[in-house]
Amino acid sequence: DAGVIQSPRHEVTEMGQEVTLRCKPISGHNSLFWYRQTMMRGLELLIYFNNNVPIDDSGMPEDRFSAKMPNASFSTLKIQPSEPRDSAVYFCASSLSGTGSTGELFFGEGSRLTVL
Amino acid sequence: AQSVTQLGSHVSVSEGALVLLRCNYSSSVPPYLFWYVQYPNQGLQLLLKYTSAATLVKGINGFEAEFKKSETSFHLTKPSAHMSDAAEYFCAVRGRGDYKLSFGAGTTVTVRA
């Protein structure tokens, strides 16, 4: 089975540009998470979707960040406008949540974003 | 809220030596506990998980972890380190009924030849 698929793997952009990161979760999973990883702050949860509905977006740093999940097989994380401090690796993860599920996360390979 | 503390941000071991990574959790009831490994430029991969079925949990690549309620610990061990074990390791906890995994800060393992 295919795992979580993220694109692009690498993105280099200039400050002020719009960045869109994409994620395809594992088929059948009903929960999707976006994380950001930096040396200084480690792994930070940005937003959590359950059954395509955003449940917790308290980790989204600013209004410049937005995320959508239009269907069960696709999600986007958008940064507009981007700033150098947004440079990080962004991970998408999915899981199967519900009664009896242990809810472990399956991570994608990540999207490394560099904002110049 | 659940949380984990990983003791030691860096661990260096010789090839063939024991690997021991420490993790302590904070929870009022036994939670779900996980260890993940992250190789350079890759995502996190599940090594093993504790779900209350057994206190000694065996995972992939020869790793195992023991849940000790009295010590609120879930330390990860491997009897003999390989060069391929060089990576970053994360302990994580999820409360029963919660959706959120809380990750530790990570421990970087280097293996000396």
Side-chain angles (χ1 to χ4, degrees), chain A residues 27-42:
Chain A
S27 177
H29 282 185
N30 59 355
S31 293
L32 185 139
F33 303 77
W34 282 100
Y35 282 86
R36 179 170 66 177
Q37 185 179 40
T38 60
M39 291 288 290
M40 293 296 294
R41 302 170 73 95

Side-chain angles (χ1 to χ4, degrees), chain A residues 36-76:
Chain A
R36 179 170 66 177
Q37 185 179 40
T38 60
M39 291 288 290
M40 293 296 294
R41 302 170 73 95
L43 275 165
E44 301 175 275
L45 176 63
L46 300 178
I47 189 168
Y48 159 62
F49 290 89
N50 184 254
N51 293 322
N52 313 337
V53 176
I55 303 298
D56 181 359
D57 65 354
S58 59
M60 296 287 262
E62 302 170 33
D63 290 345
R64 298 184 296 106
F65 285 70
S66 62
K68 294 182 179 179
M69 192 164 186
N71 57 62
S73 59
F74 184 66
S75 177
T76 59

Side-chain angles (χ1 to χ4, degrees), chain B residues 14-19 61-62 78-82 85:
Chain B
S14 298
E15 193 173 19
L18 171 73
V19 180
N61 301 340
K78 181 173 180 177
S80 177
H82 294 167
D85 294 325

Side-chain angles (χ1 to χ4, degrees), chain B residues 16-34:
Chain B
L18 171 73
V19 180
L20 170 61
L21 305 182
R22 301 178 188 274
C23 173
N24 288 90
Y25 68 90
S26 170
S27 175
S28 57
V29 295
Y32 295 124
L33 291 158
F34 309 86

Side-chain angles (χ1 to χ4, degrees), chain A residues 9 37 56 101-102 104-105, chain B residues 36 38 49 51 94 99:
Chain A
R9 288 295 313 276
Q37 185 179 40
D56 181 359
S101 170
T102 52
E104 62 264 34
L105 301 187
Chain B
Y36 283 84
Q38 184 179 27
K49 63 182 179 182
T51 62
R94 184 172 80 84
Y99 63 84

